[in-house]
Amino acid sequence: MNGRSAMRLARLQDALAGGGTIHLSEAAKLCGVSEMTIRRDVAASDGAMTFLGGHLMMAANPQFAPVYDLDEQQGSHYLAKQRLCQGAASFITEGDTLFIDCGTTLMPLLGMLGEFEELTVVTYALNVANAVGALPNVRLVLLGGLYHPSSQSFGSGDMYDAVRRLGINKAFISAAGVDLERGVSCFHFHEVAPKQAALDTALYRILVVDASKLGVVRPAFFAQLEAFDVVVTDAKAAPVLNARAGGTHQPPRVMVA
């Protein structure tokens, strides 16, 4: 590792000191280099830093804390997710059993669970489990199997049946792509079974996405929009999703957060 690379890594480490993440493009701008150069720097960091979903984070602290300090979070992406999760949290009631999906979109939701006296969280995501495991009011059900570092989540052949055996009140689902015709999709095929099982099991199903996911199709399809009772989204996405009304199937309710 040369001196310039070390200086860039030190600058990124300072930016990540609060425990948040930085998108790859933002990290490149911060250091005044290309995204490929940042990837090379991280590859040479001896595992000190890692990527999750295009976001850079410290490997020693791969999960978000259950309580969030907005002053420590960087960029508008976190703030957008925070607003979406505030809207999603309005559906939670005391004593619920919640299915919480993997990824980073729903991470701010975990910091809001401490307001309740008793909840159960079902998840197959390690970062979710690490965060809610510190909350004394939350009973955690972590679904295991083969660990996939790319999404910090587990997958197994019996994941669908494992979820179906549980009584889930509300399922909070994230997605990497939402297309009005081709449905809702994600990057990783091992996520399909738990997502579909949660949709088939939960009494109420909530999709949490922003406008950047609209019109996007990812490799692993897992549901049509009609599988959800409500979509929590931003003002930019709402008109597009509301256009789904008038079809042959009952569309989900769109909530702008």
Side-chain angles (χ1 to χ4, degrees):
M1 182 188 302
N2 60 40
R4 290 181 179 178
S5 178
M7 290 177 63
R8 289 191 294 268
L9 287 172
R11 180 176 296 179
L12 293 172
Q13 185 172 1
D14 288 341
L16 293 168
T21 69
I22 301 176
H23 194 273
L24 174 59
S25 60
E26 296 170 347
K29 290 178 182 178
L30 178 64
C31 296
V33 294
S34 68
E35 294 183 6
M36 183 57 69
T37 297
I38 294 296
R39 289 189 180 277
R40 293 193 187 101
D41 288 344
V42 172
S45 70
D46 293 328
M49 298 180 187
T50 187
F51 285 102
L52 174 64
H55 289 75
L56 179 65
M57 63 179 65
M58 298 303 299
N61 185 24
Q63 76 280 351
F64 289 86
V67 178
Y68 294 86
D69 183 348
L70 290 179
D71 292 333
E72 294 180 352
Q73 303 301 325
Q74 309 235 354
S76 61
H77 297 289
Y78 174 82
L79 296 177
K81 292 173 184 177
Q82 177 82 5
R83 288 193 295 270
L84 293 181
C85 287
Q86 285 173 342
S90 67
F91 294 98
I92 301 175
T93 57
E94 196 66 59
D96 271 346
T97 296
L98 312 173
F99 176 90
I100 298 183
D101 208 354
C102 69
T104 60
T105 298
L106 295 171
M107 293 305 292
L109 180 66
L110 308 180
M112 304 169 192
L113 302 184
E115 301 173 5
F116 298 87
E117 294 184 2
E118 182 181 357
L119 293 171
T120 298
V121 168
V122 178
T123 188
Y124 62 109
L126 183 60
N127 56 346
V128 173
N130 283 334
V132 302
L135 298 175
N137 62 318
V138 175
R139 180 172 56 177
L140 172 65
V141 179
L142 176 59
L143 304 166
L146 179 65
Y147 180 62
H148 297 264
S150 59
S151 60
Q152 293 193 46
S153 60
F154 297 91
S156 69
D158 63 352
M159 184 72 77
Y160 182 91
D161 292 334
V163 176
R164 289 285 284 163
R165 287 193 291 267
L166 301 170
I168 297 172
N169 299 103
K170 281 115 185 182
F172 293 91
I173 306 293
S174 61
V178 178
D179 185 85
L180 296 185
E181 298 302 323
R182 300 184 65 180
V184 188
S185 55
C186 58
F187 283 105
H188 306 291
F189 288 96
H190 75 272
E191 298 175 20
V192 171
K195 290 176 189 282
Q196 289 184 338
L199 291 172
D200 290 343
T201 305
L203 299 178
Y204 203 73
R205 298 149 298 183
I206 302 119
L207 176 65
V208 184
V209 292
D210 60 34
S212 68
K213 309 301 192 301
L214 294 187
V216 176
V217 177
R218 297 304 183 188
F221 164 83
F222 65 89
Q224 293 291 346
L225 268 175
E226 289 77 15
F228 298 91
D229 297 290
V230 64
V231 179
V232 179
T233 191
D234 52 32
K236 186 177 180 180
V240 179
L241 292 170
N242 279 322
R244 187 70 172 182
T248 57
H249 301 286
Q250 179 66 34
R253 178 164 70 90
V254 177
M255 176 184 180
V256 179

